[in-house]
Amino acid sequence: MNFYVMTLFPEMITSGLNVSIIGKAMEKGTIGIDAVNIRDFSDNKHNHVDDYPYGGGAGMVMQAEPVYRAYNHIKEKINKDKKTRVVYMTPQGKVFNQEMAKELAKEEDIIFLCGHYEGIDERVLEEIVTDNVSIGDYVLTGGEMPAMIMIDAISRLVPSVLHNDESAEFESFEDNLLEYPQYTRPVIWKNKKVPDVLLSGHHLNIEKWRREQSIKRTFERRPDLLLEAVKNFSKKDNIYLEKLKNNE
Ligand code: 6GU
């Protein structure tokens, strides 16, 4: 899978994603990340890519033409007869979540557009953008970190980016439940003991305990997720949730 990022700060993207699991996947060639500097496509001798907003107001607006040229440069490298998703990172977009990550992981190529200053000339957005995406209800100075977050979340769903034993199939949000707590050696740390059931070697009991811990965590920390989670609940799950609600 290939990610193309149109940005004024390409080194932010490449240095931020060149490590750990995503860095390994790039090394192996499982994923490719190409950060394209919009400034390289400026149409003036000063390499400016922004100008004052028509109608006045604070800040500068990124011009349409350099963005459009950067886009065409990328399109020339991609399979010509395929329509490619172009994701504009903006707080005015649909809020990114695991479901969207799964959907986008099916794509062969994705182009991200990162804005800075007060935004980008609306006309080029109308011309090229297929998806407006936000990463949450707060305002950032640019779309680079949001794009990196999306690339990370999408990449780990691409086959063979994760090892089998870190598989993304059974984990938080897959069934709208949070993960159960984890422990490793030593058995006692600061007078706190690892739960006995995890030392018992009784796999059915361990599975039951972990399932209940997931439900408990979600109930306590993200009750908003439970509305969806209960749709896949077993009879035992429901009985356990009732106990939690009754403070038993
Ligand atoms: Cl995608 N961009 C910016 N600039 N701020 C944001 C965002 C994106 N998502 C949340 N805040």
Side-chain angles (χ1 to χ4, degrees):
M1 180 166 190
N2 289 302
F3 301 98
Y4 300 86
V5 186
M6 295 190 265
T7 169
L8 291 174
F9 303 96
E11 65 287 351
M12 202 172 158
I13 305 289
T14 44
S15 65
L17 292 169
N18 218 345
V19 300
S20 186
I21 293 166
I22 307 301
K24 286 260 156 56
M26 285 173 69
E27 234 174 81
K28 282 194 293 180
T30 315
I31 61 165
I33 302 173
D34 190 354
V36 174
N37 193 341
I38 296 167
R39 196 175 299 284
D40 293 344
F41 300 87
S42 162
D43 58 2
N44 58 70
K45 62 172 183 275
H46 308 289
N47 280 351
H48 288 165
V49 292
D50 61 334
D51 208 333
Y52 298 98
Y54 279 120
M60 302 291 272
V61 175
M62 283 170 68
Q63 294 173 294
E65 186 62 17
V67 172
Y68 192 59
R69 288 184 185 172
Y71 167 76
N72 282 324
H73 170 80
I74 293 166
K75 282 292 279 181
E76 276 166 25
K77 298 197 245 183
I78 302 177
N79 187 354
K80 292 248 185 352
D81 26 68
K82 263 195 60 241
K83 59 164 179 45
T84 304
R85 305 275 284 265
V86 179
V87 179
Y88 177 43
M89 304 311 311
T90 168
Q92 298 160 29
K94 183 176 171 191
V95 178
F96 184 58
N97 61 17
Q98 192 65 24
E99 191 190 334
M100 213 190 291
K102 269 208 244 174
E103 192 57 40
L104 289 168
K106 297 174 190 162
E107 300 287 326
E108 206 173 308
D109 304 284
I110 301 178
I111 301 172
F112 291 93
L113 173 56
C114 304
H116 256 265
Y117 315 121
E118 291 308 308
I120 302 181
D121 190 308
E122 189 68 20
R123 292 167 295 183
V124 72
L125 300 178
E126 286 171 7
E127 191 73 21
I128 69 173
V129 171
T130 62
D131 302 83
N132 290 286
V133 180
S134 164
I135 60 160
D137 293 336
Y138 38 83
V139 180
L140 303 169
T141 55
E144 282 76 16
M145 284 198 270
M148 288 161 71
I149 284 166
M150 284 187 68
I151 291 168
D152 187 294
I154 295 164
S155 294
R156 60 189 293 290
L157 301 177
V158 172
S160 85
V161 167
L162 297 186
H163 295 117
N164 271 339
D165 63 347
E166 21 179 63
S167 164
E169 263 175 71
F170 306 102
E171 62 178 4
S172 279
F173 299 109
E174 186 55 34
D175 47 9
N176 285 288
L177 287 177
L178 302 184
E179 291 280 88
Y180 49 79
Q182 297 276 20
Y183 300 87
T184 188
R185 288 197 289 184
V187 166
I188 299 171
W189 184 79
K190 287 200 189 292
N191 249 336
K192 290 167 178 282
K193 191 168 182 296
V194 172
D196 284 326
V197 64
L198 298 180
L199 310 172
S200 69
H202 194 302
H203 295 295
L204 272 175
N205 285 351
I206 291 170
E207 209 177 300
K208 175 171 180 278
W209 181 86
R210 285 179 165 169
R211 179 77 184 172
E212 290 179 352
Q213 290 295 310
S214 282
I215 295 169
K216 184 162 185 276
R217 279 221 155 155
T218 312
F219 176 75
E220 288 168 353
R221 300 182 184 183
R222 291 293 307 275
D224 57 303
L225 291 178
L226 273 179
L227 274 133
E228 277 299 312
V230 292
K231 291 179 183 171
N232 306 311
F233 267 20
S234 69
K235 195 145 181 249
K236 280 179 182 165
D237 292 339
N238 279 314
I239 291 167
Y240 181 71
L241 180 60
E242 281 311 305
K243 278 188 186 170
L244 287 175
K245 286 181 178 170
N246 298 325
N247 241 325
E248 284 172 43

